Structure formats: structure tokens, C-alpha cells
Amino acid sequence: GGGILASALMGGSEVTVYPKHREPNVNATFIAKKDPQPNDLAYEIMTLEAEGERQVSASGTEQVTTQAAGNIFIYNAQQKDPMRLVTNTRFESQDGLIYKIKDSAIIPGYTMDASGNKIPGMTTAQVYADQPGEKYNIAPSKFTVPGLKGQPEFSTIYAESKETFTGGFDGKKFIIADAELQTAQQSLRTELRDSLLGRIDAEKPAGFVVFKDAVTFTYESLPSGPYGDNLATIKEKGYLRIPLFKDENFAEFIAQASVPGYEGKPVRIADYNVFSFKYTTATTSSSDISNETSLSFALTGKPQIIWTYDADKLKADLANKNKTALTSVLGAYPAIEKANAVLKPFWRTKFPTTLNEIKISEVVATSS
């Protein structure tokens, strides 16, 4: 009697699932889009920032005047034909500050999507401040074209920036020997780089995948300050940017590109560390990729692509059914190649009614 009671208390069922999987050899170049169309690979940019400082010898000060600069995205919602903006076309920020484009720019015409919505044409351009000074180092902003005031184009030709403008200064700076400055900057930037790299895993949003080789770095030299007699404090700001890919979307994109006969069903990739990631353009790693509308990269590796299924639904479908019903239940789960079940105690012929008593474990075979 005690044995029967113990066996009953330890009862339940364990279902071992063997999901469908493939291990293709991936060796191809891909393009990810910031604003994707159907079947495109989408990405977002994660930006991390850090600042640091060093003390160096200074031999005096000098007057410096520099103009802030940055990149803007210019939009054309006015016409379907491209529009050309001449060199030095002015753009006005929300605070009334004036910037000019360095080179002429051609903005593509707008298009219409399947729902009849207007999609403005867009191009990027570098701008510089009309005057020197730190007040032009503005945060991301919206811009209008003051030369179009009073015309219909004033509200349909516009721009925005997505990163802080930098470089604007009007005042005295410390005179520092080039060799010492470069050594201190390099040491400081290496320190900032290591610090930023250490934050990726902790600050990456859930549900997204990143590739460490996809990381990019840019740096900004901040105004120096005094530090006792004949010393100055140099300051550097580092920016880490890395593309984020939504886990499930990336897995499906790779399956579509590498698995013959793939029908678009939900899949996952077991381990992204099997991939080797490399930008197709060498300078991308030291550029501000937030200004790009697409990223081109080479990806190599042999991932394990596993078809996914709803384990909770499978439990519900099995609950209180005879063990012999397992095969028919699996017919509704094309992601599962096979499964077997063990019921406890051994004389039990039905799966438990309580879902918590149905345990599902997964086995994925590894190809040699």
C-alpha cells in the first residue's frame, strides 16, 4: 500500500520532443534595412556613451574658433520628382540656429505605399554651423528651410538630426604637445572602448541579438580644462553603436536564405556564437552607423536552426488523453518531427489532467 501511494505521488508524464531542425552552411553577404520592406532584414541601433579624462602638460593657451558640424536627414514630401538643394542651402533648427549643407544634395521624390500613404523621399547631408560656438552643439532636432518660407514647400521639405552636433567652440584652448596629446587620447579611448564593450550584454534589450564584431566606435574630444600649474585636463567622449536584430526575425531571415524548402514557419537559432560577422566596408567599424539607412555585412557559420512550437498548447492538447493519442496530436505540430512519452505510475494510460504534471523536454540532435 505504501508503495502504491508513493508511486501515485510521484506520478505524472514526461514527453520528449524532437523538433525539426537544420544545420545549413551560411556563407553569404546580406543587407539589413533601417526602414525595411516585406522580406527585408530589419535592424535598430543601440547607442552607448561614456566619458573620461586625463591630465597632460600644457604650455599655454590659444584662441580657437570652430564651427559645429553634423549630419541631417532631408525629406521630400512635396513632389514625386527628385529635388536638388544647392551648396550652402540653409537649415534652421527649432531654436533658430542656422546651419548650411556642405555640398549640394538631391532628395528623391516621394512614393506611395500599398495603403495609399505618402512616403517622403530621403537623403542625408553634412551641415556646418553658420557661426562658431558651443551653443551650436545641439541635441537631435527638427529643421526647416528658411528660404522656402511663404511657399508650399516650406512644410514639405524638412530635415531632422538623430545625433548631437559636435565641434563648435569659441574661446581659449590649452596648447598641448601633439605627441603627448595623441598618447593620452589613445589611452583614454582604449579605456572608454573597454568600458562600453562591457555594457553591451547588460543593456541589450530582451528579444534581440547582437554580434560583437558588428560594434562601431566614434569619439569626440571635449573642451579641455585647467588642472593646477602647467597641467590641463583633456576629456574624451566615446560612442558605441551596434545593430540590434530581433531574434525571431533574424532566424527566419537566415532560414529563408539558407534552408531549401523553408516555408516561413517560426524558427530559432540555438547559438549565435557560431557566426562570424564582418562589415563589407572596412571603414564602417569607425563610422556613425546611425546615419546609414542600410548595413551590408558578410556572415559565415553553421547555425542550428530549430523549428519552434507552443509547448503550453501541446500540454493542453495532451491533457487527459490516452497515451496512444500522442501521434494524432502531433499531427497539428509540423515543427515536431517525433516525440515519445513516459507515464507514471506505469499502469497509467492517460496523460494527467493538470498541465503542471505534464513535463516537456526537448532533444535536438547535432549533425556530425
Side-chain angles (χ1 to χ4, degrees):
I4 293 173
L5 177 61
S7 180
L9 291 174
M10 296 173 62
S13 67
E14 181 170 352
V15 180
T16 303
V17 170
Y18 297 81
K20 180 179 179 180
H21 68 284
R22 298 291 184 270
E23 295 184 28
N25 283 305
V26 177
N27 185 3
T29 298
F30 302 101
I31 297 177
K33 302 288 185 65
K34 183 178 288 186
D35 298 309
Q37 298 298 313
N39 300 321
D40 285 340
L41 176 62
Y43 72 94
E44 301 175 24
I45 297 294
M46 180 173 75
T47 301
L48 303 178
E49 303 177 5
E51 293 185 17
E53 60 182 43
R54 285 281 190 282
Q55 281 68 53
V56 294
S57 300
S59 58
T61 60
E62 60 181 347
Q63 186 69 28
V64 174
T65 57
T66 55
Q67 292 159 290
N71 292 293
I72 60 173
F73 295 81
I74 310 172
Y75 299 94
N76 173 14
Q78 172 62 28
Q79 60 187 44
K80 291 187 176 181
D81 295 326
M83 295 189 67
R84 184 182 186 87
L85 300 179
V86 299
T87 302
N88 291 328
T89 295
R90 296 182 303 150
F91 286 84
E92 185 175 4
S93 73
Q94 294 167 305
D95 296 327
L97 300 176
I98 300 296
Y99 299 82
K100 300 176 181 178
I101 58 174
K102 285 184 174 293
D103 301 298
S104 62
I106 296 177
I107 325 170
Y110 70 77
T111 56
M112 307 295 289
D113 65 16
S115 301
N117 299 312
K118 184 184 292 185
I119 303 174
M122 187 272 292
T123 190
T124 59
Q126 187 177 34
V127 295
Y128 62 94
D130 188 47
Q131 301 292 331
E134 293 181 71
K135 72 176 183 179
Y136 287 89
N137 297 332
I138 61 172
S141 182
K142 306 287 186 181
F143 299 85
T144 56
V145 181
L148 297 177
K149 281 184 179 179
Q151 302 180 42
E153 293 90 342
F154 183 72
S155 61
T156 54
I157 305 297
Y158 54 92
E160 65 177 346
S161 59
K162 298 183 180 180
E163 294 287 331
T164 300
F165 289 168
T166 60
F169 189 80
D170 187 7
K172 291 186 176 183
K173 283 191 174 181
F174 291 90
I175 301 173
I176 303 168
D178 288 343
E180 184 171 3
L181 178 61
Q182 291 178 9
T183 300
Q185 282 181 330
Q186 185 59 45
S187 172
L188 189 50
R189 290 181 177 185
T190 299
E191 182 181 290
L192 292 174
R193 176 189 177 93
D194 293 343
S195 173
L196 290 168
L197 285 172
R199 292 165 49 188
I200 293 177
D201 290 337
E203 300 189 36
K204 176 181 69 68
F208 286 85
V209 62
V210 297
F211 298 97
K212 294 297 178 66
D213 291 335
V215 70
T216 69
F217 290 96
T218 57
Y219 301 93
E220 175 189 357
S221 296
L222 303 177
S224 55
Y227 190 84
D229 296 335
N230 301 320
L231 289 176
T233 298
I234 64 166
K235 300 177 182 180
E236 291 285 320
K237 188 171 185 177
Y239 299 87
L240 177 153
R241 298 179 181 88
I242 190 168
L244 302 173
F245 302 98
K246 199 160 187 176
D247 197 342
E248 57 187 26
N249 293 347
F250 190 88
E252 291 173 11
F253 180 83
I254 295 300
Q256 188 70 53
S258 60
V259 178
Y262 174 68
E263 298 177 346
K265 299 297 184 181
V267 293
R268 73 179 191 271
I269 290 177
D271 182 9
Y272 284 94
N273 291 320
V274 302
F275 284 115
S276 174
F277 181 105
K278 184 178 181 180
Y279 287 115
T280 54
T281 303
T283 56
T284 302
S285 297
S286 57
S287 65
D288 181 356
I289 58 174
S290 64
N291 294 321
E292 303 295 334
T293 57
S294 64
L295 296 173
S296 177
F297 58 91
L299 202 65
T300 57
K302 190 177 182 181
Q304 192 175 63
I305 299 176
I306 304 169
W307 273 246
T308 61
Y309 57 93
D310 188 335
D312 290 334
K313 185 176 185 302
L314 178 58
K315 289 182 181 181
D317 289 344
L318 291 173
N320 204 34
K321 285 188 172 64
N322 287 323
K323 181 180 179 181
T324 55
L326 177 61
T327 300
S328 62
V329 169
L330 291 180
Y333 293 83
I336 300 176
E337 291 187 328
K338 65 176 182 176
N340 54 58
V342 175
L343 306 187
K344 298 178 181 179
F346 66 87
W347 63 78
R348 173 174 271 176
T349 60
K350 284 188 174 184
F351 288 96
T353 302
T354 304
L355 299 188
N356 290 338
E357 294 182 10
I358 302 175
K359 180 182 177 183
I360 294 181
S361 58
E362 188 175 276
V363 175
V364 181
T366 303
S367 63
S368 57

